[in-house]
Amino acid sequence: MPQRRTGEAHEFSNGKLSVLRKHPFFADLEPTAFEQLCRYAKHSTLKRGATLFSKGDPGNSLYAVISGTVKMSISSPDGRSAILNIIEPGEIFGEIALLDGGARSADAIANSNCELFVIDRREFIPFVKEQPGLAMKFIELLCGRLRWTSDQVEQIILQNLPARLASALLRLSEKHKPAQQGRTIAITQQEISEMVGMTRESINKQLRAWATRDWVRLEHGAIVVLKAEMLRDLADAGSGSEGE
């Protein structure tokens, strides 16, 4: 379970509170409404590898990542696992079970040391009911999650391995602003293999082939996308011949 510090979010620095203020869901809240939201947000820390919640747990909180990353995954009884998403700073998660009151649909595990804001369902649901615009934004979020899931299913069923890997890298890199040296994705090759359903050996072989073409650069614990347009062409084509 996360290690929690007592106190409310407004006791922390404006830099941390900006995670909530800058999020597109909360950016348009009136100052008084935002202050109320901050009173509900509790600060929490997790060590790398700690489980925040497991599939089937009650969905009683909404989470916002201040720093670090959180891995959303599912696992089978025989020990196999699949990564559904990597939640990065500035993003929120846990909204599905929060809104419908059902059980968690996946495991949430700290992928690194993390800082979070945690908002309890008992406080958040009445708050949303008083903010119709915020309710519409959460509908948009749920639609976006559904589209993300549909894209993943489509890629696993219809795309070959190189195109599937290219699509995953593009999805992850779109979370980052363009930079002169490329977009850096903080993910290991083992983690990307669990995300796209390929062996780590196949991932390594394909990434090294792309690295020789300067499409990507491999770093310790990270993959840097250098030529997104080449990966996009490969993903759209769905043909393995271009990726080898």
Side-chain angles (χ1 to χ4, degrees):
M1 292 296 292
Q3 301 173 358
R4 299 191 177 184
R5 302 175 187 175
T6 58
E8 298 176 335
H10 66 270
E11 295 175 357
F12 297 95
S13 68
N14 289 332
K16 292 180 180 179
L17 288 174
S18 68
V19 168
L20 296 177
R21 175 51 87 183
K22 290 181 180 179
H23 195 283
F25 285 7
F26 307 128
D28 296 333
L29 287 176
E30 294 294 331
T32 54
F34 181 71
E35 289 177 7
Q36 183 179 0
L37 178 69
C38 290
R39 286 195 294 271
Y40 297 150
K42 304 300 188 295
H43 185 263
S44 177
T45 61
L46 292 87
K47 296 292 186 182
R48 179 180 180 182
T51 297
L52 182 59
F53 57 75
S54 299
K55 182 178 179 179
D57 285 351
N60 50 18
S61 299
L62 179 73
Y63 301 90
V65 179
I66 303 170
S67 64
T69 58
V70 175
K71 175 174 63 178
M72 307 300 297
S73 64
I74 54 175
S75 58
S76 65
D78 61 5
R80 291 179 299 164
S81 62
I83 296 177
L84 305 178
N85 200 1
I86 302 291
I87 310 297
E88 301 189 351
E91 295 186 278
I92 64 174
F93 66 98
E95 73 287 340
I96 295 176
L98 175 92
L99 293 174
D100 70 7
R104 295 295 185 188
S105 58
D107 303 333
I109 300 172
N111 213 36
S112 64
N113 292 342
C114 297
E115 283 186 278
L116 308 171
F117 281 139
V118 185
I119 304 177
D120 191 275
R121 184 177 193 271
R122 292 170 298 181
E123 296 173 318
F124 190 71
I125 294 300
F127 178 75
V128 171
K129 289 180 178 179
E130 296 175 357
Q131 306 290 331
L134 185 59
M136 287 302 301
K137 289 182 183 294
F138 269 88
I139 292 175
E140 294 172 5
L141 173 64
L142 294 174
C143 291
R145 296 282 199 237
L146 180 59
R147 291 180 185 276
W148 172 281
T149 302
S150 297
D151 287 344
Q152 284 185 307
V153 172
E154 178 182 350
Q155 288 155 14
I156 291 174
I157 294 175
L158 300 180
Q159 288 186 326
N160 56 30
L161 298 186
R164 196 187 309 168
L165 176 57
S167 295
L169 293 178
L170 289 170
R171 283 201 315 271
L172 293 169
S173 67
E174 286 172 352
K175 297 181 179 183
H176 302 272
K177 295 180 179 180
Q180 187 174 3
Q181 299 301 319
R183 300 189 187 199
T184 301
I185 307 168
I187 192 169
T188 66
Q189 293 184 30
Q190 180 60 40
E191 288 167 345
I192 196 75
S193 74
E194 295 177 10
M195 182 171 286
V196 301
M198 299 168 59
T199 65
R200 187 188 180 283
E201 291 74 17
S202 297
I203 291 287
N204 182 263
K205 179 182 177 182
Q206 189 63 74
L207 289 174
R208 289 188 178 279
W210 291 346
T212 61
R213 300 182 181 184
D214 292 328
W215 292 9
V216 301
R217 185 174 67 252
L218 306 182
E219 297 181 351
H220 180 68
I223 301 169
V224 183
V225 175
L226 301 174
K227 294 183 179 178
E229 66 278 6
M230 303 304 294
L231 295 179
R232 194 172 306 282
D233 289 344
L234 178 59
D236 291 342
S239 171
S241 60
E242 294 184 40
E244 299 298 335

